[in-house]
């Protein structure tokens, strides 16, 4: 039986949305995600209301208009073609996403109380980092994390995991306010590279809780699927061999501090110490020729 925290691809009920997660539908308070698919010449109009929103091209280019201002987003052919430029729309705004050639676009949202300016960030300004080592190597695009982009509450990044590798491992959680954690709801949106013979990719995602706050999710995930993480340890996210895995993370929470602090499951945290003598997967970085890919301390607490 599928978990209530799993949303299959194309689960939204109204075009052009492929995915529609709201605080109300998720049963939580802060985080949302809509993925839209526009045909050539298509447009999507929306009001942010109480949310701030990041517009992230997944495949294709688009124009984002808010008031009298317009940004042209070059986008990318697919999520495996390096980071993308993106736009930020503040709460209390009306905006339009339109696309001449068509494409697929993620609209990640978080509750906000202060309207910040409509902004654009170029792909070349997105920090690309390599995390982990060996078969736990992954590539992170920190486009709207707390230390790279100004926002009120949203924290957003993308992760590329080569086929056969594990991400979000060792498992970690961020569901309470402590010296080591901030309470954040989290959305995982997945896409996969197709393999030989155009075979579809897939992977697995795990979420489990504590005795005090149980949760139990183990799902096979495919293109366009979503897993919600209201609380608990999450990880690993496992990419099937032969199929690179992408996921978009959207996070937000109730705290006054916009920060991502985590605790690892003590039963598995020792694994991080084994990375010191291992190399990063040579398949990384992927499609980042024009960007600055760095490999920071691989023992940092990262997704």
């Amino acid at each position: 039986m599928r978990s209530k925290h799993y949303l299959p691809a194309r689960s939204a009920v109204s075009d052009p949305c492929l995915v529609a997660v709201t605080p109300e539908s998720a049963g939580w308070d802060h985080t949302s995600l809509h993925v839209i698919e526009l045909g050539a010449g298509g447009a999507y109009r929306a009001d942010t209301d109480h949310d701030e929103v990041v517009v992230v091209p997944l495949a294709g280019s688009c124009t984002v208009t808010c008031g009298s201002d317009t940004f042209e987003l070059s986008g990318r052919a697919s999520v495996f073609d390096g980071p993308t430029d993106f736009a930020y729309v503040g709460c209390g705004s009306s905006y339009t996403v339109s696309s001449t050639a068509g494409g697929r676009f993620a609209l990640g949202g978080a509750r906000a109380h202060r309207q910040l300016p409509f902004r654009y960030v170029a792909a070349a300004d997105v920090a690309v980092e390599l995390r982990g080592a060996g078969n736990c190597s992954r590539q992170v695009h920190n486009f709207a994390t707390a230390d790279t982009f100004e926002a009120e509450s949203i924290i957003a990044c993308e992760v590329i995991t080569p086929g056969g590798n594990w991400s979000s491992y060792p498992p970690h959680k961020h569901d309470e306010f402590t010296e080591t954690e901030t309470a954040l709801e989290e959305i995982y949106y997945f896409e996969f590279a197709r393999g030989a013979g155009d075979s579809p990719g897939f992977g697995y995602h795990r979420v489990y809780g504590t005795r005090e706050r149980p949760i139990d999710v183990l799902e096979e995930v495919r293109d366009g699927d979503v897993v919600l993480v209201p609380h608990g340890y999450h990880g690993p996210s496992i990419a099937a061999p032969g199929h690179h895995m992408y996921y978009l993370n959207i996070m937000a929470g109730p705290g006054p501090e916009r920060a991502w602090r985590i605790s690892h499951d003590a039963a598995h945290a020792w694994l991080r110490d084994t990375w010191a003598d291992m190399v990063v997967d040579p398949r990384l970085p992927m499609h980042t020729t024009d960007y600055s890919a760095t490999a920071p301390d691989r023992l940092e607490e990262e997704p």
Side-chain angles (χ1 to χ4, degrees):
M1 179 180 294
R2 292 287 200 176
S3 166
K4 67 178 183 180
H5 302 295
Y6 163 82
L7 302 176
R10 299 182 179 271
S11 58
V13 296
S14 60
D15 290 336
C17 289
L18 305 178
V19 170
V21 178
T22 66
E24 294 75 21
S25 69
W28 57 27
D29 299 313
H30 303 279
T31 313
S32 65
L33 174 67
H34 292 77
V35 176
I36 59 173
E37 188 170 65
L38 300 178
Y44 176 81
R45 298 170 181 84
D47 297 319
T48 60
D49 294 325
H50 301 294
D51 290 353
E52 56 185 355
V53 171
V54 290
V55 180
V56 183
L58 301 172
S61 59
C62 66
T63 300
V64 184
T65 302
C66 181
S68 60
D69 296 321
T70 295
F71 294 128
E72 300 289 341
L73 274 58
S74 299
R76 53 194 167 182
S78 82
V79 294
F80 300 103
D81 290 308
T84 181
D85 49 358
F86 71 96
Y88 169 93
V89 186
C91 64
S93 303
S94 296
Y95 71 103
T96 300
V97 179
S98 57
S99 180
T100 300
R104 191 170 59 257
F105 310 97
L107 315 174
R111 288 289 189 254
H113 304 285
R114 177 172 55 107
Q115 188 182 61
L116 295 176
F118 182 43
R119 281 168 286 157
Y120 168 85
V121 176
D125 293 329
V126 172
V128 179
E129 299 185 43
L130 307 184
R131 306 283 173 80
N135 66 349
C136 289
S137 301
R138 57 273 201 188
Q139 176 176 321
V140 184
H141 301 162
N142 290 307
F143 67 91
T145 51
D147 57 349
T148 64
F149 182 77
E150 181 188 5
E152 183 175 347
S153 59
I154 195 167
I155 297 173
C157 67
E158 304 175 315
V159 180
I160 305 293
T161 306
N165 285 11
W166 290 34
S167 282
S168 288
Y169 195 73
H172 62 280
K173 73 181 185 76
H174 40 70
D175 58 12
E176 57 185 331
F177 292 107
T178 67
E179 290 184 357
T180 58
E181 288 186 43
T182 48
L184 298 168
E185 305 160 350
E186 185 165 14
I187 299 171
Y188 276 72
Y189 166 82
F190 294 90
E191 293 196 7
F192 292 86
R194 301 183 77 85
D198 201 34
S199 60
F202 68 98
Y204 295 90
H205 186 73
R206 177 77 168 120
V207 185
Y208 61 95
T210 62
R211 181 177 301 176
E212 295 76 21
R213 301 182 71 188
I215 185 172
D216 189 6
V217 179
L218 176 58
E219 294 290 352
E220 179 179 304
V221 288
R222 294 179 179 270
D223 252 359
D225 288 354
V226 169
V227 175
L228 307 177
V229 184
H231 59 87
Y233 290 102
H234 38 291
S237 292
I238 306 169
H243 301 282
H244 303 320
M245 176 175 68
Y246 163 95
Y247 54 82
L248 170 66
N249 287 146
I250 305 294
M251 292 174 275
E257 181 186 10
R258 179 175 173 249
W260 184 76
R261 292 196 298 271
I262 66 172
S263 295
H264 287 105
D265 185 338
H268 305 286
W270 61 269
L271 181 74
R272 299 179 65 83
D273 295 333
T274 68
W275 295 345
D277 298 323
M278 301 172 66
V279 299
V280 173
D281 190 315
R283 292 175 291 180
L284 298 176
M286 290 186 187
H287 297 285
T288 57
T289 303
D290 298 328
Y291 309 103
S292 177
T294 60
D297 183 351
R298 284 171 287 186
L299 300 187
E300 285 184 349
E301 297 183 346
E302 299 292 350

